[in-house]
Amino acid sequence: MLKSKTFLKKTRAGGVMKIVREHYLRDDIGCGAPGCAACGGAHEGPVLEPQPLDPASSLCPRPHYLLPDTNVLLHQIVSVWRPGTRASVASSLQLPGSLETYVEQEQGENANDRNDRAIRVAAKWYNEHLKKMSAENHLQVIFITNDRKNKEKAIEEGIPAFTCEEYVKSLTANPELIDRLACLSEEGNEIENGRIIFSEHLPLSKLQQGIKSGTYLQGTFRASRENYLEATVWVHGDTEEDKEIILQGLKHLNRAVHEDIVAIELLPKNQWVAPSSVVLHDEGQNEDDVEKEEERERILKTAVSEKMLKPTGRVVGIIKRNWRPYCGMLSKSDIKESRRHLFTPADRRIPRIRIETRQASALEGRRIIVAIDGWPRNSRYPNGHFVKNLGEVGEKETETEVLLLEHDVPHQPFSQAVLSFLPKMPWSITEKDMKNREDLRHLCVCSVDPPGCTDIDDALHCRELENGNLEVGVHIADVSHFIRPGNALDQESARRGTTVYLCEKRIDMVPELLSSNLCSLRCNVDRLAFSCIWEMNHDAEILKVRFTKSVINSKASLTYAEAQMRIDSAAMNDDITTSLRGLNKLAKILKKRRIEKGALTLSSPEVRFHMDSETHDPIDLQTKELRETNSMVEEFMLLANISVAKKIHEEFSEHALLRKHPAPPPSNYEILVKAAKSKNLEIKTDTAKSLADSLDRADSPTFPYLNTLLRILATRCMMQAVYFCSGMDNDFHHYGLASPIYTHFTSPIRRYADIIVHRLLAVAIGADCTYPELTDKHKLADLCKNLNFRHKMAQYAQRASVAFHTQLFFKSKGIVSEEAYILFVRKNAIVVLIPKYGLEGTVFFEEKDKPKPKLIYDDEVPSLKIEDTVFHIFDKVKVKIMLDSSNLQHQKIRMSLVEPQIPGISILADTPNMDSDEPERKKKKHEK
């Protein structure tokens, strides 16, 4: 049946356009209940559970389906349906186009009322329809709504209807579901006790007007990890000036949560502040301890020079909440039998959340997930509800799950829909695969990777040509041959964006059949590749470059150490070794040339864990050793990426996926310049070349590690490198590599960006055909945004995994004392680096319930004076390292000062700290 509406619309030119909207109503949409004779047993789309819900419900003893309204579906679905309760949710979403349930909006009826009526019509239709299906079983559809008027009308119309809370409380077999009810207080009941902590958020309409007029600024709220009373807002817009606005104090933060899109008001210049150097963590004050917050806020405001003041503002409203489920632990209330408790998120940037639960004793010492429901003006903390119990704190499986969830790393097993697009095994190269492909299996190709690597992306070769020149090839796994545009495998790879490497496991971007088998360039098997081949002279000058799809057969899969041993061994002169020596010689020339152009050689301490073969616990922790062969592979990967970037940009000037590294603003270098100055060294930062040169000159014969420390500090000054679409940006420059153009081509097994680059290159050389999304710069820009986010989260997840395994290592090792160097000084702490372990940590000088030492902080130098001892950046100290388990939620590596000796501050190297020593904790537990 066809229904149509006709109306007239005035055009911009002043004309009148007749518009006809047609609505087709079908009479063949099934109810979704399996075995329904009235529907013929056939259904389109999802169907209901074969067995309807038959819980121990005091309200609905008969078998039934649930039909939630839209708000319940949005806010309470965790309570209504979850695996294990087998709640069957009937869908009214498939019925609006049905002839029997279609509802037209009546005159004077608003859209919400029309939608409410439509859901009631669907509920009534379901109940009458299911009677025909099973008269003896008396199947029912229960309407779930929290709208009082909607519920009353449903009951008047003879529809069984309950609020979500009424229904959930009736499920006697699942009492834990009550905790999962979202805490949604009505607007009018917000101020219960007359005490208002926060100012009211302005409505969206006023915020939009204010942003348009320039009264307010819109930006992303970024909470501080080190200071819960401070945040920054990155203002959205094209101008770089005053992009970062500081917010200080609870009332100025005004209930914004990390990553929310907020509207802020800029404060007058006489109220601007400087970024605080104080480390402050929320210790979970009671609701009434707001005065203590104000005391702590006064600590932030110390006298500073005018040039250190930054634009400062306050949150006036929320444009968009970006809340997500948060992992953490329950901080059980001291009040006996209390149902109200505070939840402490694992991420220090997220405020504590107040929840109600009857399972507090069972959830103590467990990692749980909690969702925020709202944040009233009279509450120090937001309200939320319990979602899921993840497991015992400290267990490897639980903590790994937490870090993956907290960093939004997709890690569920690949679905059958995705796996269905994998090649059928056994797989072999066919004649069709050889089309537009060169056979390079005769070349002496080999791969060089870290030990244990199974996802081998790249292989290399080098041979002398008859004309005396050298041919060098970089051969990259042809992943785009197996992952075709737009299918489920492609969509899932794009969503994941990158492979995530944790200490003990790898979260693959593509299924293992591809990552560790068919795409991996293992030795002695034929593999499809995409090759970049140069003809060079012996001075590493490129004479020609070509790109081709190929078939290769790697002659060796080597580790960096094995490749280095071959190069260094005078006894080895086989083809593989000769190829490696040629590559190494050219790589040294390429690197020298890059550095001369201004490429930066920075430093970042990386660690490697040695695991126990049975328990898989870390038994040793060392900084990674870098060899010449690491640099050799890196140089040719960089060269391939630059060559490919030039080619795809030549062919697709508007649609090339490139990677850039923005130059840091001068303010980023302040800490580096000051630190060098404290050691009588000058660091110039006006260009990458001047920075590289001054870092090379910054040497001290009496302090050989100083140059490494400066390079580590310089790394912290850098901006994040990002993917972008060439048609959406003018600045292509890669600051760190001193290259005018760059992309990622060499790791398609573990990076989705490289798959897109492979597709662009394949079209450019005529080896594959294009598709619409590949040349849509707006879709490419959206893809880049996701890839940048996934890449950043993968880095954070990797660091979190290293931090957790470091804790496990020191838990078994006990207390150790090691030499360290100061990286940063704060108002009440120093941040140190321990070279032996590549470990960074904070030594605090103010502790709870202990006398406060006399601290004098000088930001200009920078330095921190404690009693009569002055600490500068790069000073050598000795610290005691131990695992602090006093706070189960945030177990951490704790460091205490051993040397220099300061009375009341320093401790003896072999003195255990009674607050955090593991044996002492066990002793106390035994005494109880």
Side-chain angles (χ1 to χ4, degrees), residues 100-266:
E100 294 167 292
T101 59
Y102 177 70
V103 171
E104 283 204 54
Q105 192 168 345
E106 294 174 351
Q107 198 167 357
E109 185 180 46
N110 65 36
N112 279 338
D113 289 344
R114 182 259 165 209
N115 291 339
D116 287 346
R117 187 162 56 87
I119 296 172
R120 294 198 303 273
V121 167
K124 196 166 187 176
W125 179 87
Y126 259 120
N127 274 314
E128 289 169 1
H129 180 83
L130 291 176
K131 276 181 189 174
K132 301 172 195 172
M133 171 185 161
S134 180
E136 56 189 44
N137 286 337
H138 304 295
L139 268 177
Q140 266 188 317
V141 165
I142 306 297
F143 181 40
I144 305 292
T145 179
N146 289 333
D147 185 315
R148 183 171 48 84
K149 287 181 182 175
N150 202 7
K151 180 190 166 191
E152 287 170 1
K153 285 180 182 177
I155 292 168
E156 282 171 19
E157 294 166 15
I159 302 165
F162 303 100
T163 66
C164 193
E165 188 173 356
E166 287 169 342
Y167 179 78
V168 168
K169 283 184 174 177
S170 77
L171 302 177
T172 52
N174 295 96
E176 77 283 357
L177 284 182
I178 298 167
D179 291 350
R180 288 177 164 81
L181 283 168
C183 175
L184 301 170
S185 61
E186 290 184 24
E187 191 83 21
N189 299 329
E190 197 179 73
I191 310 301
E192 306 161 344
N193 53 16
R195 181 201 56 177
I196 299 173
I197 301 172
F198 301 102
S199 59
E200 191 174 358
H201 287 150
L202 297 179
L204 194 57
S205 56
K206 281 193 177 179
L207 296 178
Q208 287 168 337
Q209 285 171 13
I211 291 164
K212 197 173 181 181
S213 68
T215 308
Y216 306 133
L217 299 169
Q218 178 178 322
T220 305
F221 182 89
R222 303 272 167 82
S224 166
R225 270 196 178 89
E226 293 192 333
N227 187 338
Y228 75 101
L229 293 174
E230 185 168 278
T232 54
V233 170
W234 285 87
V235 175
H236 303 166
D238 300 324
T239 57
E240 292 294 317
E241 193 180 357
D242 292 348
K243 196 176 180 182
E244 188 182 48
I245 311 296
I246 290 178
L247 283 70
Q248 266 188 13
L250 209 58
K251 291 178 182 178
H252 285 170
L253 302 182
N254 196 9
R255 296 172 288 156
V257 176
H258 184 64
E259 293 294 345
D260 281 351
I261 308 299
V262 298
I264 58 167
E265 179 182 49
L266 208 57

Side-chain angles (χ1 to χ4, degrees), residues 16 330 376 416 488 532 662 673 759:
V16 175
L330 195 72
Q416 282 306 310
C532 174
V673 172
R759 290 173 182 169

Side-chain angles (χ1 to χ4, degrees), residues 26-78:
R26 293 170 56 181
D27 59 2
D28 60 345
I29 298 177
C31 66
C36 175
C39 296
H43 303 286
E44 279 186 23
V47 295
L48 298 171
E49 288 270 356
Q51 295 296 318
L53 193 63
D54 190 10
S57 169
S58 54
L59 292 175
C60 319
R62 286 157 52 182
H64 57 272
Y65 292 116
L66 301 180
L67 180 57
D69 73 5
T70 312
N71 281 320
V72 169
L73 206 60
L74 283 171
H75 301 295
Q76 304 284 9
I77 195 64
V78 174

